[in-house]
Amino acid sequence: MASASLLKSSPVLDKSEWVKGQSLRQPSASVVRCLPSGPSSLTIRAGSYADELIKTAKTIASPGRGILAMDESNATCGKRLASIGLENTEANRQAYRTLLVSAPGLGQYISGAILFEETLYQSTVDGKKMVDVLVEQNIVPGIKVDKGLVPLAGSNDESWCQGLDGLASRTAAYYQQGARFAKWRTVVSIPNGPSALAVKEAAWGLARYAAISQDNGLVPIVEPEILLDGEHGIDRTFEVALKVWAEVFFYLAENNVMFEGILLKPSMVTPGAECKERATPQQVADYTLKLLQRRIPPSVPGIMFLSGGQSEVEATLNLNAMNQGPNPWHVSFSYARALQNTCLKTWGGRPENVKAAQETLLIRASANSLAQLGKYTGEGESEEAKKGMFVKGYVY
C-alpha cells in the first residue's frame, strides 16, 4: 500500500483550482506577435495553461496511484446494470456512481476519475456534487469528451472517433464545472488491417483533441486502443503498436501539443484474445516496455494503461511486472472493468451491500496501487477477480 508520507510528498493541485466557483485560474495574458509582412500580419495566440497542465498531469501521475475510469456511456452503463438485474435509469446510475466516488479512502490509491458528462453535472444520492466528493478525496475529476465510434468510409470495416465539432466550447464548459483532464478513445483493429487510413485518422483525431483540450485547461489522455480481438500473436501486436504510436506522436508534434501536459492510455502489448499462445506477465512487460522505450518521449509524465478485457488479476500482474525496475515515466493504470467488475457484482443493486462493494473496490484499487510500486504479490485474490472479461467486438 502507498504510504501516507509518500502520497503527501506528491505534487498535488490545490483544491481551489478544481472546483467551480472557487478562484478558478484564468489563462495568462495573450501573447501578441507582430510580423512585418503585410496588413494582416498580426498574430494573436490564446493565453496558456501550461503550468497548470503540467501540475495536473504530475498530480495524476503520483506514486502508488492511478485512474478510475467510470466514464461508461449511459448505454454501456445500462449493460453493466442489466448484468445484475437492474433497470437502466438515472437513479440507478446515480446510486452506482455514488457508491464508487464515496468509497472511504479511495484517494489513497486513485488520483483521477474519468466521468461521463451526466456524472460531471450529477449529485450523489445524498445531494452532494460528484465533483466535490472526488475533490474531497484528493481525486482529480476528468471527463470523456469524444462522441463515440462510427464506420470509417473507405476503410476495411474500421472505425473513426467523432467529437471534434464543438469541442472547444465543451472543454471550456467542463473546465468551469471542475474537470481538469479529458479522455478521447479511438480504436485500432488488428484483424481488420489495420489500414494506413485508419491509423492516420486515429492519430490525427487524437492530436486535434489534445491541442483543443490543452487550450482550454484540460490535460488530454491520449488513447489509441489496440483492440484485443483476434488470433494474432504478441509480435504482431508489437508491430502494429510501433506503427500506431509513431503516427500519434508525429501528429501531436504537428499540432504543437505540449508533451509534459498529456497522459497516455495505451493497450498493453499482449497476444490477441483468441491466440492459442498466451503470454506471461514478464513477456507482456518486456514487449510493452520495449514499445514505450522506442516510441514515448521521457517528458510524458504518465503512462496509464487500459485493461482492455483482461481479468482483474491479469491486469494487475502485468502492471506489477512493468514496475520491477525504474522507468522514465510513471507507469500506472486507468482501469474500468478491471477495478469495477467484482465491486458491481458484490453490490447487486442492494443498499445493504454498498459497504461490502466499496471494500471490494478498495481491495482492487489497493492491489493496483501496489502494482504501480512493483510490490503486488497476487496472494489472496478471489476466483471472481481471476475471470477474464474479454468481449468480442466490445463497444464502450
Side-chain angles (χ1 to χ4, degrees):
M1 293 173 65
S3 69
S5 61
L6 183 62
L7 293 174
K8 285 178 182 174
S9 67
S10 307
V12 176
L13 283 170
D14 186 275
K15 292 179 185 178
S16 67
E17 295 181 85
W18 303 354
V19 188
K20 183 180 178 185
Q22 293 186 9
S23 307
L24 288 174
R25 173 179 267 179
Q26 297 301 316
S28 59
S30 327
V31 175
V32 179
R33 184 177 60 189
C34 298
L35 301 174
S37 57
S40 59
S41 62
L42 185 64
T43 302
I44 301 177
R45 284 195 67 174
S48 173
Y49 287 90
D51 291 344
E52 183 180 351
L53 292 168
I54 292 169
K55 195 174 181 182
T56 299
K58 285 183 177 178
T59 298
I60 295 171
S62 54
R65 301 206 294 168
I67 293 174
L68 168 62
M70 49 179 290
D71 58 315
E72 298 89 349
S73 66
N74 288 348
T76 301
C77 193
K79 292 176 186 175
R80 304 270 172 89
L81 294 174
S83 73
I84 58 169
L86 281 188
E87 193 180 344
N88 185 14
T89 65
E90 184 179 353
N92 285 335
R93 294 192 299 270
Q94 178 193 42
Y96 180 54
R97 290 162 178 164
T98 297
L99 180 159
L100 296 175
V101 303
S102 61
L106 186 64
Q108 186 177 352
Y109 316 114
I110 300 297
S111 54
I114 312 171
L115 310 177
F116 189 60
E117 188 176 62
E118 178 181 76
T119 319
L120 183 69
Y121 291 91
Q122 201 169 38
S123 295
T124 66
V125 291
D126 300 321
K128 291 186 75 172
K129 290 181 179 177
M130 296 271 186
V131 168
D132 293 345
V133 174
L134 289 169
V135 169
E136 286 170 7
Q137 296 237 52
N138 240 6
I139 298 171
V140 183
I143 179 69
K144 169 186 165 74
V145 299
D146 67 78
K147 294 293 184 180
L149 300 168
V150 291
L152 177 61
S155 72
N156 185 29
D157 293 325
E158 294 162 289
S159 302
W160 68 283
C161 187
Q162 56 188 349
L164 290 177
D165 287 353
L167 182 60
S169 58
R170 284 189 286 121
T171 48
Y174 296 150
Y175 182 95
Q176 291 300 318
Q177 185 62 17
R180 288 296 176 271
F181 71 101
K183 174 201 152 178
W184 175 287
R185 172 187 179 260
T186 193
V187 302
V188 172
S189 169
I190 293 179
N192 288 10
S195 67
L197 173 64
V199 173
K200 184 171 287 189
E201 176 59 43
W204 177 256
L206 284 166
R208 289 305 306 139
Y209 137 78
I212 293 166
S213 295
Q214 287 190 340
D215 267 1
N216 290 286
L218 301 183
V219 170
I221 289 182
V222 177
E223 181 184 1
E225 179 176 354
I226 297 171
L227 297 171
L228 276 178
D229 305 58
E231 301 175 0
H232 53 277
I234 195 168
D235 287 296
R236 176 61 178 152
T237 306
F238 180 72
E239 178 190 4
V240 171
L242 282 173
K243 184 188 300 182
V244 169
W245 281 105
E247 200 91 351
V248 167
F249 271 93
F250 173 79
Y251 285 114
L252 287 173
E254 285 283 291
N255 281 273
N256 300 307
V257 172
M258 183 178 66
F259 293 171
E260 308 97 297
I262 66 174
L263 295 167
L264 304 188
K265 186 170 178 175
S267 312
M268 296 179 191
V269 180
T270 66
E274 295 152 295
C275 178
K276 292 176 182 175
E277 269 188 62
R278 304 315 299 159
T280 66
Q282 190 56 53
Q283 287 173 313
V284 171
D286 290 345
Y287 273 87
T288 305
L289 290 175
K290 185 163 62 171
L291 166 69
L292 298 182
Q293 287 156 3
R294 291 187 183 181
R295 289 292 181 264
I296 312 304
S299 56
V300 174
I303 316 290
M304 323 300 284
F305 281 99
L306 58 90
S307 55
Q310 299 177 72
S311 75
E312 292 176 329
V313 170
E314 186 181 11
T316 310
L317 284 169
N318 289 338
L319 178 63
N320 186 71
M322 283 186 269
N323 281 299
Q324 293 309 299
N327 292 307
W329 332 265
H330 175 80
V331 175
S332 193
F333 60 93
S334 177
Y335 293 165
R337 286 175 286 173
L339 281 173
Q340 296 181 43
N341 187 55
T342 306
C343 169
L344 177 68
K345 292 181 179 179
T346 302
W347 175 50
R350 298 177 179 275
E352 64 270 23
N353 292 343
V354 166
K355 186 178 178 183
Q358 289 178 329
E359 287 172 355
T360 303
L361 173 64
L362 292 172
I363 287 170
R364 285 262 51 82
S366 172
N368 285 293
S369 169
L370 289 169
Q372 197 288 310
L373 299 169
K375 298 177 180 178
Y376 173 72
T377 63
E379 293 176 5
E381 290 284 14
S382 69
E383 288 306 309
E384 184 62 46
K386 296 174 184 176
K387 292 180 181 176
M389 293 177 281
F390 169 73
V391 177
K392 191 171 183 177
Y394 178 73
V395 178
Y396 197 77

